[in-house]
Amino acid sequence: MKKKVSRQRFSTGRAKRVTGKGLKFSAFFIGVGGEGVLTSATMVAEAAHLEGHFVRGIQLHGLAQRGGSIPTIVRFGSEKDVVSPAITEGDADLVIAFEPLEAARATHYASKEKTAFIIDDYPYMPVYANLLDLPYPPMAEIVKRVKPFAKDLMVFNAHHLAEEEFGLAVLGNTMLLGAAIGAGVLPLKPASFRSVIKAMPRRADDNRKAFDEGLKLGKR
Amino acid sequence: MTVLAKPNTKTVLLGNEAIARGALEAGVGVFAAYPGTPSSEVPITMAQVAKKCGVYFEYSTNEKVALETAVGAAWSGVRAMTAMKHFGLNVAADSMGPIAYTGVKAGLVVMVSDDPQGWSSAQSEQDTRYYAKMFRMPMIEPSNPQECLEYTKAAFALSEKYGVPVFLRTTTKVSHSIGTVKVGKIKKPVTRGEFKKDFDRYLLLRPNLQKRHRVADERLAKIEKNSKKFVKSIRGKGRVGIIVSGVSYDYVREALRGLGLSPPILKIGMVHPLPTQAIKAFIKNKRSVLVLEELEPIIEDFVNRVAKGANHRLVVHGKDYLPRYGEYTAELIIPALGKALKKKVPSFAAHKKNADNAIKGLPPRKPVFCPGCPHRSTFYAVEKVFGKDVVFAGDVGCYVLGLFEPFRMQDFMVSMGASLGIAHGMTRVSDREVIAFVGDSTFFHAAMPGLANLAFNDDKSPLVIVMDNSITAMTGHQPNPSTGVTGMGDKVQKLPIEDIAFAMGATVEVANSFSQRDLLDKLGKLRKAKGLRVLVSRGECRLITKRKLRKQGLEFNTFQIDQEKCKKCGICTDHFACPAIVEIRKKKGDEPKYWINPDNCWGCSVCMQICPYDAIRPGVKK
Ligand SMILES: Cc1ncc(C[n+]2csc(CCOP(=O)(O)OP(=O)(O)O)c2C)c(N)n1
Ligand code: SF4
């Protein structure tokens, strides 16, 4: 049975489309170590670079392969404005949580005033849910917790779709980047991403397809 | 590869990559290092490009050997560099001190990165700047990737101009921040040289020792006078100034822009020797200054001292407004700016509290052993044989993750190789059984003297378990003597740990980490044996196996649970804790179902071996 495309939006108004001069855009990515978060963040950084933006950010390396939660930051815009590598509390323009539980951990960086929040409904159970008897929360619970920190909140099922279409769930990451652009909450051009993807050493074709799929998903 | 970007173009680099690029642009000929977060990506990057750029690269067995390798090259006229984490310098310090006196012929740069906040799961927040003071060496500190590149180049120039080894210090958030960087030209390295004897310089014995000490001091005085390149004075409004170094420079500039404030700023990129004249000039007409530096108040104390002569009424703020521990953030700096500049600034407390609440009660996601990790299997068997009442002397490496639930089998971790020494001290004063764990990389790094000491001094020695996954896993999978390849990717003979232990007189067993039966058997034998006992538990790091398979286009054979046979005992989740095995309950109190997620199963088969009901069997990939 083919998975249905699922896309829910809970907005209190669309996140502002930011473009043009004086741009200062801060994106926060969070997911599970070893699940391609760093790769996705790097794609965004490279796409922004291709468009001539000044790029900053944080990529905490080390310990990344062992299923911990890893936060990654990419900021871009004009050199005068994008000085710090970090995002101040509540100041992210975009949060992409590649895993639902991790979305809750991104709330520090997000706020009702400005943040577009994207969550993919593809749980990766932490062993501590078992060990500490803290049950993994249902999606509705995550949405309830995150909503007060989002101007615009979208929930996708990109990883499921990618798994079905390409037999590889991680491609859901790329799909989500496309979705962010499609939904107008990541001010970069699809063409820049296509160039970045073209240069990828592995599965460039599938990544491109996943990206285009994501674009459509975001626009719906 | 962006680190090899064309000259005079812009590219996005990690701070550590920018340092590697800087070294290439400076024409580094020899690069030797032992990995350690947050410095690891400097050697990782170097390893990737060394052959192409004609640089000699190696992973040495520890930081001291790495430094010495670089010194040998620099004394022979070849530009050399090493990189290490803060603790690495503790290991290398024994050689660093004397080399600060002898000086060098070609440039020698020692990159060292501190880790306030302990992102690398470090065991202390030491402030390495003290080493520069202690050894009479210059130390420069970049704030962002662009400066990482420029400072590395400048460090080589400085080193050669004054014949002095130079510290290049970063912190985690400088090493691990990315930024747009304008690159220069990569220089073809000189890689051949010759050592020229010079007894007066290289033989540090009295009275020559004092002479060389004086030389080191005089050099510093000269360097201080010529440190303009590393100091930036930015004009601004008002009589309250900001003195800042490291990553805080970028935090504070963006924060001030956001607040619409523009106090004068003195940015200090040379943290030793500190620029007395520039500080004097800066504080002359100030009412107060706020000093922003992570960890110890080194600059702050210095400013206080300079102010005694230059402006004795100056009020110096720093550690009274900001903590001495942990790293700085904009959320900490902004309130301090508010206090120092007497301006109203936004508070983050309410938002932080709400966000903290949003996470409350959710399961944490701490790092765990990968699925199929050989260490998990070894710990499981050790518990079966010894229970949990014995003392588990811990060490650093992936196996330290054994400290978390459900294992709780690392009772302490101090430094690389420390498990053996501390275990020895314990067996000297108590009859309690002690097990010392040590990884293969750690074995070669610092545990061999500990093992020799056990052979020498301990007749009722602790059991030593070498967790041999044949790689330096935790820091990003660098090769070590047990791997069989060098840092440049050349094949070499593996150094068998069991032979070394045997040569020291130990009773040695080698077990396959993926076989519970083998582990139980060998552990049982060793428990009964007398004297020095070593178990080498050998199993390839599963992540390496995974990568090898992927290269061949293959996947793991996964396992699955036969629901009819499963008695729901929960051993595979609660005691073995493999992240691929999930306990599913519709709601609390429901009867659970156990399921192996084929996406996460890395096919080690150990769960099949430990299931008491024979309910786990090979499955098919979806
Ligand atoms: C003096 C020092 N240098 C480097 C490190 C960084 N470090 C932490 S764990 C580790 C790797 C240990 O490798 P190994 O002992 O083989 O264990 P594995 O991670 O492979 O299980 C290193 C290099 C450190 N903690 N201290
Ligand atoms: S990286 Fe290797 S040694 Fe470390 S936890 Fe994963 S499988 Fe185990």
Side-chain angles (χ1 to χ4, degrees):
Chain A
M1 198 184 66
K2 205 162 158 58
K3 275 240 157 61
K4 267 210 358 230
V5 172
S6 136
R7 179 189 193 289
Q8 295 165 274
R9 194 161 191 160
F10 311 83
S11 41
T12 48
R14 290 280 172 105
K16 204 172 78 204
R17 279 168 201 259
V18 258
T19 42
K21 249 192 158 175
L23 174 67
K24 179 165 101 169
F25 192 84
S26 303
F28 185 82
F29 305 92
I30 191 160
V32 179
E35 300 296 308
V37 182
L38 218 57
T39 312
S40 299
T42 305
M43 280 165 73
V44 174
E46 283 177 8
H49 174 69
L50 278 184
E51 292 185 25
H53 293 301
F54 188 78
V55 177
R56 291 241 51 199
I58 296 173
Q59 299 189 342
L60 287 175
H61 290 248
L63 275 179
Q65 303 292 356
R66 281 157 291 277
S69 93
I70 53 161
T72 297
I73 292 169
V74 177
R75 311 182 67 219
F76 57 87
S78 72
E79 188 167 353
K80 264 209 197 97
D81 296 289
V82 182
V83 182
S84 161
I87 301 179
T88 313
E89 188 101 17
D91 205 34
D93 296 287
L94 170 67
V95 171
I96 300 186
F98 297 99
E99 202 278 350
L101 183 56
E102 297 312 303
R105 286 189 246 278
T107 48
H108 278 281
Y109 298 92
S111 67
K112 187 121 219 137
E113 286 70 46
K114 61 188 301 194
T115 310
F117 225 114
I118 290 182
I119 306 178
D120 203 46
D121 190 0
Y122 191 69
Y124 188 119
M125 204 69 65
V127 292
Y128 292 93
N130 283 338
L131 297 173
L132 308 180
D133 210 18
L134 293 167
Y136 193 99
M139 197 62 217
E141 164 84 17
I142 300 269
V143 167
K144 203 177 97 198
R145 286 175 185 248
V146 168
K147 237 167 126 183
F149 299 87
K151 173 149 191 159
D152 195 354
L153 172 61
M154 290 165 257
V155 180
F156 294 99
N157 66 341
H159 284 82
H160 282 295
L161 294 174
E163 193 169 30
E164 204 169 76
E165 210 146 313
F166 309 102
L168 195 64
V170 243
L171 286 169
N173 294 350
T174 311
M175 215 180 262
L176 289 171
L177 297 182
I181 295 179
V185 294
L186 176 60
L188 292 170
K189 299 187 186 88
S192 326
F193 274 90
R194 291 196 187 108
S195 321
V196 172
I197 290 170
K198 216 172 172 181
M200 284 175 92
R202 291 190 313 123
R203 297 193 89 135
D205 252 13
D206 286 344
N207 267 289
R208 209 189 70 105
K209 279 186 209 148
F211 179 78
D212 287 345
E213 196 97 344
L215 266 183
K216 276 190 258 158
L217 211 61
K219 279 187 188 141
R220 280 158 68 110
Chain B
M1 211 172 293
T2 47
V3 74
L4 296 182
K6 290 202 185 80
N8 304 316
T9 59
K10 283 183 184 170
T11 180
V12 179
L13 295 176
L14 190 68
N16 280 346
E17 292 172 333
I19 289 174
R21 171 77 187 207
L24 293 171
E25 291 184 15
V28 68
V30 167
F31 192 106
Y34 183 76
T37 315
S39 72
S40 303
E41 297 74 25
V42 184
I44 286 174
T45 309
M46 259 319 171
Q48 284 164 354
V49 301
K51 273 202 172 146
K52 195 163 179 183
C53 298
V55 179
Y56 172 77
F57 173 86
E58 76 170 40
Y59 280 120
S60 313
T61 42
N62 69 29
E63 292 87 351
K64 183 168 178 285
V65 178
L67 170 66
E68 288 151 0
T69 305
V71 168
W75 279 0
S76 307
V78 172
R79 284 193 165 189
M81 184 165 172
T82 181
M84 59 193 73
K85 72 183 290 165
H86 49 349
F87 302 149
L89 189 52
N90 301 343
V91 176
D94 207 10
S95 289
M96 193 74 262
I99 285 149
Y101 283 7
T102 65
V104 289
K105 196 169 140 204
L108 173 65
V109 176
V110 179
M111 183 261 188
V112 55
S113 46
D114 278 351
D115 185 24
Q117 201 79 24
W119 292 102
S120 67
S121 64
Q123 295 86 58
S124 92
E125 293 189 308
Q126 80 179 35
D127 190 327
T128 297
R129 291 177 297 172
Y130 283 122
Y131 272 111
K133 272 180 116 158
M134 179 158 70
F135 291 154
R136 319 303 293 142
M137 269 173 68
M139 176 180 268
I140 57 178
E141 179 172 8
S143 296
N144 47 51
Q146 183 70 54
E147 284 188 2
C148 280
L149 186 151
E150 285 161 13
Y151 278 35
T152 308
K153 271 165 89 169
F156 273 103
L158 187 73
S159 172
E160 242 161 59
K161 182 166 176 194
Y162 296 97
V164 62
V166 175
F167 280 130
L168 177 71
R169 182 220 189 204
T170 67
T171 55
T172 306
K173 289 291 167 68
V174 172
S175 275
H176 287 177
S177 77
I178 60 168
T180 302
V181 176
K182 189 159 183 248
V183 300
K185 204 168 158 234
I186 292 179
K187 205 163 131 185
K188 199 172 155 28
V190 173
T191 52
R192 305 294 298 168
E194 205 68 59
F195 173 68
K196 284 204 186 68
K197 295 181 198 230
D198 181 348
F199 295 137
D200 286 347
R201 177 166 181 179
Y202 295 117
L203 288 171
L204 298 169
L205 294 169
R206 178 167 59 83
N208 197 26
L209 182 67
Q210 284 73 43
K211 214 163 84 195
R212 294 308 302 179
H213 188 169
R214 220 175 76 195
V215 169
D217 275 1
E218 285 165 359
R219 260 188 330 228
L220 277 184
K222 277 189 223 143
I223 289 170
E224 195 227 303
K225 290 209 177 70
N226 287 307
S227 58
K228 268 203 203 85
K229 200 181 166 90
F230 302 102
V231 186
K232 220 183 269 175
S233 187
I234 304 168
R235 261 177 240 229
K237 287 196 202 102
R239 293 181 59 215
V240 181
I242 312 289
I243 298 180
V244 58
S245 76
V247 68
S248 303
Y249 177 55
D250 286 357
Y251 293 158
V252 80
R253 277 189 301 155
E254 185 160 322
L256 288 170
R257 202 170 151 84
L259 297 167
L261 300 171
S262 52
I265 300 176
L266 184 70
K267 190 265 193 193
I268 296 181
M270 181 174 278
V271 291
H272 193 256
L274 284 164
T276 314
Q277 290 313 321
I279 290 173
K280 258 189 196 157
F282 186 76
I283 62 175
K284 211 171 67 199
N285 54 0
K286 301 286 182 296
R287 188 156 34 82
S288 72
V289 292
L290 173 66
V291 181
L292 298 173
E293 62 185 319
E294 291 173 313
L295 300 174
E296 302 301 314
I298 292 177
I299 300 178
E300 184 182 340
D301 289 350
F302 188 80
V303 171
N304 265 315
R305 199 145 23 99
V306 172
K308 281 208 178 92
N311 174 2
H312 67 276
R313 264 191 291 222
L314 183 79
V315 182
V316 181
H317 294 295
K319 295 298 165 186
D320 51 346
Y321 287 177
L322 286 138
R324 200 168 171 150
Y325 45 83
E327 62 183 359
Y328 283 7
T329 57
E331 291 81 359
L332 285 172
I333 288 176
I334 289 171
L337 285 174
K339 276 195 214 166
L341 299 167
K342 303 205 164 41
K343 293 276 193 262
K344 230 181 124 55
V345 294
S347 159
F348 301 99
H351 185 273
K352 185 175 178 320
K353 206 169 142 216
N354 292 338
D356 285 345
N357 276 334
I359 312 174
K360 234 193 208 138
L362 297 179
R365 198 184 293 279
K366 298 184 223 172
V368 289
F369 296 118
C370 299
C373 175
H375 297 337
R376 177 187 292 107
S377 178
T378 305
F379 278 120
Y380 191 85
V382 171
E383 192 197 336
K384 275 267 166 308
V385 175
F386 290 86
K388 282 199 179 167
D389 272 349
V390 299
V391 177
F392 300 110
D395 219 299
V396 281
C398 277
Y399 46 98
V400 82
L401 295 172
L403 73 89
F404 290 124
E405 302 88 352
F407 297 104
R408 291 261 169 223
M409 287 168 75
Q410 297 273 283
D411 292 329
F412 50 83
M413 56 184 282
V414 173
S415 71
M416 293 190 74
S419 63
L420 281 76
I422 294 174
H424 167 55
M426 287 176 172
T427 51
R428 284 285 83 180
V429 300
S430 150
D431 291 329
R432 196 159 168 202
E433 261 182 300
V434 183
I435 301 179
F437 291 92
V438 64
D440 50 307
S441 190
T442 304
F443 182 83
F444 292 108
H445 177 285
M448 279 165 62
L451 192 63
N453 190 56
L454 287 177
F456 181 35
N457 285 316
D458 207 333
D459 47 350
K460 39 174 216 161
S461 171
L463 170 65
V464 177
I465 299 183
V466 183
M467 311 286 269
D468 181 5
N469 56 4
S470 304
I471 200 94
T472 315
M474 193 171 201
T475 43
H477 303 91
Q478 295 84 355
N480 69 54
S482 73
T483 311
V485 285
T486 67
M488 296 251 258
D490 297 323
K491 275 217 163 76
V492 287
Q493 189 123 30
K494 289 184 190 184
L495 266 186
I497 292 171
E498 58 273 32
D499 290 3
I500 296 169
F502 181 78
M504 291 191 189
T507 307
V508 190
E509 295 286 353
V510 182
N512 172 357
S513 311
F514 297 109
S515 165
Q516 283 290 308
R517 191 185 296 159
D518 198 19
L519 282 167
L520 295 178
D521 175 41
K522 307 274 165 70
L523 281 166
K525 269 192 207 157
L526 286 174
R527 192 175 200 192
K528 284 190 224 112
K530 295 240 155 28
L532 180 57
R533 297 155 300 150
V534 176
L535 174 76
V536 179
S537 178
R538 180 167 294 142
E540 186 174 63
C541 163
R542 208 61 180 167
L543 206 59
I544 293 292
T545 315
K546 187 178 199 267
R547 285 183 194 158
K548 283 184 185 165
L549 284 181
R550 199 168 60 189
K551 258 199 196 136
Q552 301 166 34
L554 299 173
E555 299 215 30
F556 287 117
N557 295 317
T558 60
F559 287 77
Q560 61 185 24
I561 297 177
D562 183 335
Q563 296 302 330
E564 275 170 18
K565 283 190 175 174
C566 173
K567 294 270 191 297
K568 315 206 183 291
C569 66
I571 280 183
C572 56
T573 50
D574 300 353
H575 295 265
F576 191 58
C578 174
I581 311 180
V582 198
E583 181 192 275
I584 304 168
R585 266 179 236 259
K586 285 261 147 42
K587 52 184 196 309
K588 238 185 170 152
D590 272 6
E591 165 122 308
K593 180 187 161 188
Y594 295 88
W595 173 67
I596 298 179
N597 182 347
D599 276 348
N600 297 348
C601 174
W602 293 7
C604 69
S605 86
V606 180
C607 61
M608 180 178 79
Q609 301 168 36
I610 62 155
C611 172
Y613 304 104
D614 229 3
I616 303 183
R617 54 183 166 81
V620 269
K621 185 93 194 164
K622 285 176 285 177

